[in-house]
Amino acid sequence: MIKTIDYGVRFSSAGLISSMFIILAACIPDPLEVEGIPVVQPQIVVSTQIIPDQSLVVLLTKSFGALDANEDSDAQELLDQIAVEDAEVTITGPRDVYTLVALGSGVYGGTFIPFEPNAEYTLHVESETLGEISATTTVKPMISFEDIEAELYFNGYDDTLVQVSYQLIDPEEKNWYMLNVQQIESDELIEDALNPRAFTRLLDDAEFESNDYSETFRAFQRDFEAGDTVAVFLSNISEEYYNFMKLRLDNRFSFIEYLSEPVNYPSNVQGGKGFFNLYVPDIRTFILEE
């Protein structure tokens, strides 16, 4: 039996990143004593998320070397070191220029920005310490679930997974999709959505011919229990971001690789790293029951 619930979405700057860096600190290897390595200048790393109420969150951090921290590093101190706090951030669209507000911990937010499907928007960041970066992307049209269910699945061993069955209508044009399954521990939906340990499934519509597509998959990042609240995200993404995420998923230490030097992933950020996206996910939440 499945119950669905709705959550209000709001910004939380400190909470948005804290859980990510707790995980990060646990994954960083011990520093090695190496001499003679040239210092690599840090660059701004971009991550973005928009939500259906036309709010935008931009996370700005600076890349750092793998020798700059270890497993004993304090997560908050590490966050203080790499969060970009001195930036002026704007989004330029077809109708206006929008200035984002600094929310702390490298998070910048804007509300009521009229993101128009298939329109181009440019992100511009100017930091006194790290210089300027820019990136341009096109808003992807939102594609929603036609039907979806999520339930506990016992695999016969000691693991309890989430089984998701869904259906969507795939438009005639070429599309790439990203599905995420994330446990929600509070009403901070964006905070949980950016968690790098969320289960992610990528889908290229070249894999199926029918416009009416359905499948069942199992999320296996963690053990789930009855009473857990999970969110399932369906995002229509660009081919470039699809390739970017595919490389990240192939790397077990994707989060540290994403932030540290060198970052060997494709990027649409001029003068920086990461990826500037403007896609609106369809988000469905469930309370799991026996």
Side-chain angles (χ1 to χ4, degrees), residues 1-4 148-152 154 163 225-228 285-290:
M1 184 176 181
I2 305 169
K3 293 182 180 179
T4 63
I148 181 172
E149 294 183 350
E151 59 186 353
L152 285 173
F154 300 94
Q163 179 168 285
E225 300 178 352
D228 284 349
T285 55
F286 302 85
I287 296 177
L288 301 176
E289 296 191 353
E290 294 282 2

mmCIF file of all heavy atoms in Angstrom, residues 1-4 148-152 154 163 225-228 285-290:
data_model
loop_
_atom_site.group_PDB
_atom_site.id
_atom_site.type_symbol
_atom_site.label_atom_id
_atom_site.label_comp_id
_atom_site.label_asym_id
_atom_site.label_seq_id
_atom_site.Cartn_x
_atom_site.Cartn_y
_atom_site.Cartn_z
ATOM 1 N N MET A 1 0.846 -1.195 0.000
ATOM 2 C CA MET A 1 0.000 0.000 0.000
ATOM 3 C C MET A 1 0.875 1.235 0.000
ATOM 4 O O MET A 1 1.873 1.295 0.699
ATOM 5 C CB MET A 1 -0.908 -0.012 1.241
ATOM 6 C CG MET A 1 -1.891 1.156 1.278
ATOM 7 S SD MET A 1 -2.992 1.022 2.697
ATOM 8 C CE MET A 1 -3.987 2.467 2.431
ATOM 9 N N ILE A 2 0.492 2.246 -0.761
ATOM 10 C CA ILE A 2 1.326 3.417 -0.939
ATOM 11 C C ILE A 2 0.531 4.658 -0.599
ATOM 12 O O ILE A 2 -0.607 4.814 -1.014
ATOM 13 C CB ILE A 2 1.828 3.522 -2.390
ATOM 14 C CG1 ILE A 2 2.554 2.236 -2.789
ATOM 15 C CG2 ILE A 2 2.719 4.721 -2.579
ATOM 16 C CD1 ILE A 2 2.846 2.150 -4.242
ATOM 17 N N LYS A 3 1.135 5.559 0.167
ATOM 18 C CA LYS A 3 0.552 6.862 0.429
ATOM 19 C C LYS A 3 1.432 7.916 -0.208
ATOM 20 O O LYS A 3 2.646 7.822 -0.165
ATOM 21 C CB LYS A 3 0.456 7.139 1.942
ATOM 22 C CG LYS A 3 -0.534 6.241 2.671
ATOM 23 C CD LYS A 3 -0.589 6.640 4.135
ATOM 24 C CE LYS A 3 -1.573 5.768 4.907
ATOM 25 N NZ LYS A 3 -1.611 6.128 6.335
ATOM 26 N N THR A 4 0.828 8.926 -0.790
ATOM 27 C CA THR A 4 1.591 10.034 -1.349
ATOM 28 C C THR A 4 1.373 11.260 -0.515
ATOM 29 O O THR A 4 0.301 11.458 0.053
ATOM 30 C CB THR A 4 1.163 10.337 -2.798
ATOM 31 O OG1 THR A 4 -0.196 10.749 -2.798
ATOM 32 C CG2 THR A 4 1.335 9.116 -3.681
ATOM 33 N N ILE A 148 2.824 6.385 -11.636
ATOM 34 C CA ILE A 148 4.000 5.973 -10.867
ATOM 35 C C ILE A 148 3.578 5.352 -9.553
ATOM 36 O O ILE A 148 2.602 5.779 -8.921
ATOM 37 C CB ILE A 148 4.956 7.176 -10.614
ATOM 38 C CG1 ILE A 148 6.182 6.700 -9.820
ATOM 39 C CG2 ILE A 148 4.244 8.322 -9.937
ATOM 40 C CD1 ILE A 148 7.276 7.740 -9.686
ATOM 41 N N GLU A 149 4.313 4.320 -9.139
ATOM 42 C CA GLU A 149 4.154 3.689 -7.833
ATOM 43 C C GLU A 149 5.542 3.407 -7.281
ATOM 44 O O GLU A 149 6.483 3.138 -8.031
ATOM 45 C CB GLU A 149 3.361 2.382 -7.927
ATOM 46 C CG GLU A 149 1.907 2.551 -8.351
ATOM 47 C CD GLU A 149 1.159 1.230 -8.341
ATOM 48 O OE1 GLU A 149 1.833 0.166 -8.186
ATOM 49 O OE2 GLU A 149 -0.066 1.235 -8.494
ATOM 50 N N ALA A 150 5.671 3.470 -5.967
ATOM 51 C CA ALA A 150 6.940 3.130 -5.302
ATOM 52 C C ALA A 150 6.610 2.314 -4.065
ATOM 53 O O ALA A 150 5.697 2.670 -3.301
ATOM 54 C CB ALA A 150 7.716 4.388 -4.928
ATOM 55 N N GLU A 151 7.351 1.229 -3.859
ATOM 56 C CA GLU A 151 7.078 0.356 -2.730
ATOM 57 C C GLU A 151 8.353 -0.330 -2.270
ATOM 58 O O GLU A 151 9.356 -0.379 -2.990
ATOM 59 C CB GLU A 151 6.036 -0.694 -3.127
ATOM 60 C CG GLU A 151 6.470 -1.567 -4.301
ATOM 61 C CD GLU A 151 5.378 -2.495 -4.778
ATOM 62 O OE1 GLU A 151 4.331 -2.549 -4.105
ATOM 63 O OE2 GLU A 151 5.572 -3.169 -5.797
ATOM 64 N N LEU A 152 8.304 -0.858 -1.052
ATOM 65 C CA LEU A 152 9.436 -1.613 -0.522
ATOM 66 C C LEU A 152 9.598 -2.914 -1.290
ATOM 67 O O LEU A 152 8.614 -3.543 -1.689
ATOM 68 C CB LEU A 152 9.235 -1.912 0.958
ATOM 69 C CG LEU A 152 9.441 -0.757 1.948
ATOM 70 C CD1 LEU A 152 9.032 -1.198 3.345
ATOM 71 C CD2 LEU A 152 10.887 -0.284 1.938
ATOM 72 N N PHE A 154 11.868 -6.564 -0.919
ATOM 73 C CA PHE A 154 12.807 -7.395 -0.166
ATOM 74 C C PHE A 154 13.482 -8.348 -1.147
ATOM 75 O O PHE A 154 12.818 -9.132 -1.825
ATOM 76 C CB PHE A 154 12.069 -8.170 0.930
ATOM 77 C CG PHE A 154 11.379 -7.281 1.915
ATOM 78 C CD1 PHE A 154 10.040 -6.944 1.740
ATOM 79 C CD2 PHE A 154 12.052 -6.760 3.014
ATOM 80 C CE1 PHE A 154 9.401 -6.112 2.639
ATOM 81 C CE2 PHE A 154 11.414 -5.934 3.926
ATOM 82 C CZ PHE A 154 10.083 -5.598 3.734
ATOM 83 N N GLN A 163 11.278 -0.272 -4.993
ATOM 84 C CA GLN A 163 10.916 -0.645 -6.362
ATOM 85 C C GLN A 163 9.988 0.425 -6.929
ATOM 86 O O GLN A 163 8.954 0.737 -6.337
ATOM 87 C CB GLN A 163 10.241 -2.017 -6.387
ATOM 88 C CG GLN A 163 9.814 -2.454 -7.787
ATOM 89 C CD GLN A 163 9.426 -3.908 -7.845
ATOM 90 O OE1 GLN A 163 10.285 -4.794 -7.819
ATOM 91 N NE2 GLN A 163 8.138 -4.179 -7.917
ATOM 92 N N GLU A 225 13.259 1.391 4.934
ATOM 93 C CA GLU A 225 12.395 0.796 5.943
ATOM 94 C C GLU A 225 10.981 1.323 5.792
ATOM 95 O O GLU A 225 10.759 2.403 5.211
ATOM 96 C CB GLU A 225 12.905 1.124 7.357
ATOM 97 C CG GLU A 225 14.303 0.613 7.653
ATOM 98 C CD GLU A 225 14.770 1.021 9.048
ATOM 99 O OE1 GLU A 225 14.050 1.826 9.693
ATOM 100 O OE2 GLU A 225 15.832 0.548 9.468
ATOM 101 N N ALA A 226 10.023 0.557 6.319
ATOM 102 C CA ALA A 226 8.647 1.037 6.355
ATOM 103 C C ALA A 226 8.588 2.337 7.147
ATOM 104 O O ALA A 226 9.218 2.475 8.186
ATOM 105 C CB ALA A 226 7.742 -0.018 6.993
ATOM 106 N N GLY A 227 7.871 3.301 6.623
ATOM 107 C CA GLY A 227 7.795 4.610 7.253
ATOM 108 C C GLY A 227 8.716 5.637 6.627
ATOM 109 O O GLY A 227 8.544 6.847 6.854
ATOM 110 N N ASP A 228 9.712 5.195 5.843
ATOM 111 C CA ASP A 228 10.587 6.141 5.151
ATOM 112 C C ASP A 228 9.795 6.927 4.108
ATOM 113 O O ASP A 228 8.883 6.391 3.456
ATOM 114 C CB ASP A 228 11.736 5.408 4.451
ATOM 115 C CG ASP A 228 12.823 4.956 5.408
ATOM 116 O OD1 ASP A 228 12.791 5.382 6.568
ATOM 117 O OD2 ASP A 228 13.700 4.180 4.978
ATOM 118 N N THR A 285 6.310 12.151 -4.180
ATOM 119 C CA THR A 285 6.771 11.666 -2.885
ATOM 120 C C THR A 285 5.863 10.561 -2.358
ATOM 121 O O THR A 285 4.651 10.571 -2.606
ATOM 122 C CB THR A 285 6.851 12.811 -1.858
ATOM 123 O OG1 THR A 285 5.589 13.466 -1.764
ATOM 124 C CG2 THR A 285 7.923 13.817 -2.254
ATOM 125 N N PHE A 286 6.477 9.623 -1.644
ATOM 126 C CA PHE A 286 5.759 8.455 -1.136
ATOM 127 C C PHE A 286 6.203 8.138 0.285
ATOM 128 O O PHE A 286 7.369 8.319 0.627
ATOM 129 C CB PHE A 286 6.047 7.220 -2.016
ATOM 130 C CG PHE A 286 5.688 7.382 -3.461
ATOM 131 C CD1 PHE A 286 6.577 7.963 -4.352
ATOM 132 C CD2 PHE A 286 4.449 6.955 -3.924
ATOM 133 C CE1 PHE A 286 6.245 8.112 -5.693
ATOM 134 C CE2 PHE A 286 4.108 7.111 -5.262
ATOM 135 C CZ PHE A 286 5.010 7.688 -6.149
ATOM 136 N N ILE A 287 5.269 7.650 1.102
ATOM 137 C CA ILE A 287 5.602 7.030 2.373
ATOM 138 C C ILE A 287 5.557 5.527 2.165
ATOM 139 O O ILE A 287 4.523 4.966 1.751
ATOM 140 C CB ILE A 287 4.613 7.444 3.480
ATOM 141 C CG1 ILE A 287 4.701 8.945 3.739
ATOM 142 C CG2 ILE A 287 4.926 6.675 4.772
ATOM 143 C CD1 ILE A 287 3.709 9.442 4.769
ATOM 144 N N LEU A 288 6.677 4.862 2.421
ATOM 145 C CA LEU A 288 6.766 3.422 2.179
ATOM 146 C C LEU A 288 6.082 2.654 3.307
ATOM 147 O O LEU A 288 6.256 2.956 4.475
ATOM 148 C CB LEU A 288 8.235 3.004 2.080
ATOM 149 C CG LEU A 288 9.052 3.693 0.981
ATOM 150 C CD1 LEU A 288 10.514 3.257 1.060
ATOM 151 C CD2 LEU A 288 8.481 3.403 -0.400
ATOM 152 N N GLU A 289 5.330 1.633 2.919
ATOM 153 C CA GLU A 289 4.632 0.799 3.900
ATOM 154 C C GLU A 289 4.955 -0.663 3.650
ATOM 155 O O GLU A 289 5.412 -1.047 2.568
ATOM 156 C CB GLU A 289 3.123 1.021 3.810
ATOM 157 C CG GLU A 289 2.697 2.449 4.184
ATOM 158 C CD GLU A 289 1.219 2.583 4.350
ATOM 159 O OE1 GLU A 289 0.491 1.602 4.052
ATOM 160 O OE2 GLU A 289 0.757 3.666 4.762
ATOM 161 N N GLU A 290 4.713 -1.464 4.692
ATOM 162 C CA GLU A 290 4.943 -2.904 4.580
ATOM 163 C C GLU A 290 4.084 -3.473 3.456
ATOM 164 O O GLU A 290 2.954 -3.082 3.282
ATOM 165 C CB GLU A 290 4.575 -3.591 5.895
ATOM 166 C CG GLU A 290 5.487 -3.183 7.052
ATOM 167 C CD GLU A 290 6.826 -3.886 7.006
ATOM 168 O OE1 GLU A 290 7.062 -4.661 6.062
ATOM 169 O OE2 GLU A 290 7.616 -3.666 7.920
#
